[in-house]
Each structure stands twice: as C-alpha cells, then as structure tokens.
Amino acid sequence: MKKEKATFQIQIPAKLILFGEWAVLDGYSALGCSVGKYFTAELTPKEDASSLTLESHEVSFDWHDIEEKVPPFLERTSSILKSLFKNPLILKGHVLKLYRNWKLSEGLGSSSALYLALSCLEKNFSQSEARSKTLTEEAVQLRKKLVAYQGSGSGFDILLQSVGTFLKAEIKNDSVFMEKVSLKIPEEILFVHTGKKMKTDVALKEQRGYSSFSKDLGQSCEEFLLNQDWQKTIYQHNKCLEKMGVVPNFVKELKDSWIEKKWIRELKTTGAGGGDTLMLFINPCKRPELEADLTQRGFWLEEAPLGVPGALETNL
C-alpha cells in the first residue's frame, strides 16, 4: 500500500533547565538548553474521512465527535487541540501521529513540546498568517499562549524548545529578555535520569514561599554566566533548593553517599526538582565506580547532545 505523504511534520527538541529554576517564575535569570532528543508531530491524510486518528506510542484513537471521551493518555492532546482550533475535528480525514524518543520519566519537556507542536500545526493548517515575525517574536508569542493555557508557569520550556541552543532568559509578566549563551560542558558534568518523575504542574500548585529564594537563585545563575564555575554554582543552587524543601530525601542521601566516596564533588536537581534528572559534578577518575552504581540503581546517563537548534529554527 502506498504511504501517504505527510501534510505537516515538526520535530521539537527536549530541554533542560540548568540554573535559575524557580527564580525564572519571579523575573530573575535562568539558564537552560535544548537537548538532542525529539518530540515529533506528523499529520498524514487517510481514506476514512469520518474521524481524526490520534496516534502515539501508548494508544491510537479514532476521534469522531467533539464531545466524545478520549483515552486518558490523550486528554491533554485533545484539550490543547480544542484550545487552539475552533473545532479540531476540521482535521478529520487525517492521522495525527505524536511520538517522542525520550521517556516521560526523564522530565525533558513533553508537555511543552506537545503544545509547541500543536500550535505550529494550527498555524500551518489554518494558514492564518504568513511568517512575518522573527524567530524570537514567534517564540515569545508561543510562550504567552502556553502560560495562558496552563494558567501558571514561566513558559521558559517552550522558549528553549523553540529557539534552541543554550539560552538565558528573564521573564517579567509579558516582557521577555532572551540571550543565546556560548557554553562548553566540562567532562566533570554528568546528567543522570533516575526515573522518579515529579509532575511540574503539581509542583507549581504546591509552591509555597519559594519566591523568597528566587533572588539568590537568580544571582547564582548570573554569577555562573560571568565565571562558568560549575562546581560553585551547583553547590549554591543545591543549598538553596534544600532550604526550599524541593529536594527529595533520596537525592540528599545519594549526594552525601557519593561525596563521601569521592565519586562526586557536588550534585543538584534540575527543573522543578523531584529528582527526575540530576546534574552531577564528578571526579572523572571515579567515573567507572559511579557508573556501575548508577546502573545497579536503574539510573541512566543523558548522552544526547546539548544546545541543538530549536524547532522554529530548523523548520523555517
């Protein structure tokens, strides 16, 4: 059978927030990067025009009626489609395939990637406006739409995934300052996935009193951009995040154990915390022992390239 040619396709890189997490919610500096793992959205025609087929790794569903209940895993997809399209079932007669090549438990921006992909689909399908905005203007507009849809958050994730590379940002209400940063990851830095995922939207709703620490986190991020002292900045951030109470006990125990064994010098959580992805400053000569311990615990290293081009840049 002849394979239908896609009418729309986009790849969204994953993301990591390195420093300034939580601070970015209060207008202070944050630093993050795109990651060379990809969320792909593809719209392809099909013969049956009675439904829109939503397809992912987890489930496939034929959506016939706007009031029809979709499977739980696709509820966010249908909700975003309804917010972007007056009637998403204008896409009937197509298959919308949504795939990512990273695990949800890695906390690399699945939700923001989904929103970005479907926003680009809506713009492409409606052909409502020609591309007249700059890359930065388009990214800022998408951030504003995402925050309005979520009702919370900074939208930094979608900026990272739209623009790519290493990105510094300050976000104050609707005012956004972005700057690409030249950054080299030293051999002492490892990113480790534990598989223990915290939902960012839940963490944001539970936020209490974190604003009092935002200035310190933002200043630490600014200092890093001046001197790129990874060990000092990881130490400063972890100390502040522990005071905030967002570092899980299992992460504290790991840090103490690995420092005692001289496998690492410092450790911090990334993003909203919860311990899904850890940033380690290691002793390179002890890396074999550390990696053996990670494997035994069921953890795994992030080995994808960092600072890759963003979705909007690669899909011009």
Side-chain angles (χ1 to χ4, degrees):
M1 182 180 293
K2 181 181 176 182
K3 183 179 179 181
E4 293 285 357
K5 183 179 179 181
T7 58
F8 170 83
Q9 186 178 52
I10 193 168
Q11 284 192 320
I12 314 293
K15 61 79 199 175
L16 272 173
I17 298 180
L18 305 176
F19 300 119
E21 61 268 59
W22 297 108
V24 71
L25 291 167
D26 294 308
Y28 295 97
S29 296
L31 175 68
C33 65
S34 51
V35 180
K37 291 180 174 179
Y38 295 92
F39 182 101
T40 301
E42 181 181 278
L43 188 72
T44 307
K46 65 173 185 172
E47 291 184 2
D48 179 10
S50 68
S51 69
L52 165 63
T53 299
L54 302 177
E55 186 176 303
S56 70
H57 290 293
E58 291 77 11
V59 66
S60 179
F61 174 72
D62 290 327
W63 195 10
H64 296 87
D65 183 86
I66 196 69
E67 301 300 328
E68 192 174 2
K69 185 173 178 61
V70 302
F73 191 83
L74 292 172
E75 285 177 353
R76 186 183 294 268
T77 300
S78 67
S79 173
I80 294 172
L81 285 171
K82 288 177 182 178
S83 76
L84 294 171
F85 290 81
K86 290 182 179 178
N87 177 12
L89 291 184
I90 193 174
L91 299 173
K92 279 183 177 181
H94 292 84
V95 178
L96 178 57
K97 298 180 180 180
L98 303 166
Y99 295 104
R100 57 181 149 62
N101 64 356
W102 72 81
K103 298 178 181 179
L104 283 174
S105 62
E106 292 179 351
L108 295 179
S110 296
S111 296
S112 51
L114 173 63
Y115 191 90
L116 175 54
L118 297 182
S119 292
C120 291
L121 168 63
E122 188 278 329
K123 182 177 179 180
N124 179 276
F125 193 83
S126 66
Q127 298 179 337
S128 57
E129 66 177 281
R131 185 185 177 87
S132 57
K133 296 182 176 65
T134 66
L135 174 64
T136 298
E137 289 171 338
E138 198 163 348
V140 169
Q141 185 182 59
L142 285 165
R143 183 210 73 86
K144 185 176 180 179
K145 287 173 64 179
L146 173 62
V147 172
Y149 169 76
Q150 292 180 156
S152 63
S154 68
F156 188 30
D157 290 5
I158 208 168
L159 294 179
L160 292 171
Q161 292 168 309
S162 298
V163 178
T165 70
F166 294 93
L167 198 67
K168 172 196 172 183
E170 294 176 11
I171 302 167
K172 299 178 181 179
N173 298 319
D174 287 336
S175 177
V176 178
F177 169 80
M178 287 189 292
E179 179 184 10
K180 290 186 177 182
V181 175
S182 177
L183 197 63
K184 182 179 179 181
I185 308 294
E187 65 171 340
E188 291 91 350
I189 295 296
L190 291 182
F191 294 95
V192 174
H193 300 296
T194 68
K196 303 178 187 296
K197 177 78 171 85
M198 172 187 282
K199 291 186 177 182
T200 303
D201 55 350
V202 173
L204 288 169
K205 288 177 182 177
E206 293 179 349
Q207 179 184 358
R208 295 185 183 89
Y210 294 168
S211 294
S212 60
F213 297 92
S214 294
K215 185 176 180 180
D216 291 339
L217 288 169
Q219 286 181 341
S220 178
C221 181
E222 287 284 356
E223 289 175 15
F224 173 79
L225 292 167
L226 291 174
N227 55 41
Q228 294 198 15
D229 188 333
W230 290 85
Q231 183 174 348
K232 179 180 179 182
T233 309
I234 292 172
Y235 168 78
Q236 290 174 334
H237 269 63
N238 181 70
K239 186 176 180 181
C240 196
L241 294 168
E242 284 192 351
K243 288 180 179 178
M244 291 167 63
V246 298
V247 181
N249 287 330
F250 86 91
V251 174
K252 296 177 186 178
E253 292 167 4
L254 283 174
K255 179 177 71 72
D256 293 343
S257 173
W258 289 344
I259 288 178
E260 184 179 356
K261 293 173 181 175
K262 301 191 184 326
W263 293 353
I264 70 169
R265 294 178 184 143
E266 297 297 342
L267 173 156
K268 72 177 286 290
T269 55
T270 62
D276 46 15
T277 302
L278 308 176
M279 185 193 302
L280 277 56
F281 192 98
I282 71 167
N283 286 314
C285 62
K286 297 290 186 179
R287 180 165 175 165
E289 293 96 320
L290 174 62
E291 286 200 28
D293 188 67
L294 295 175
T295 300
Q296 186 177 17
R297 294 176 184 274
F299 299 173
W300 61 99
L301 296 178
E302 179 53 74
E303 297 179 329
L306 305 183
V308 299
L312 299 184
E313 189 171 46
T314 55
N315 288 274
L316 298 178

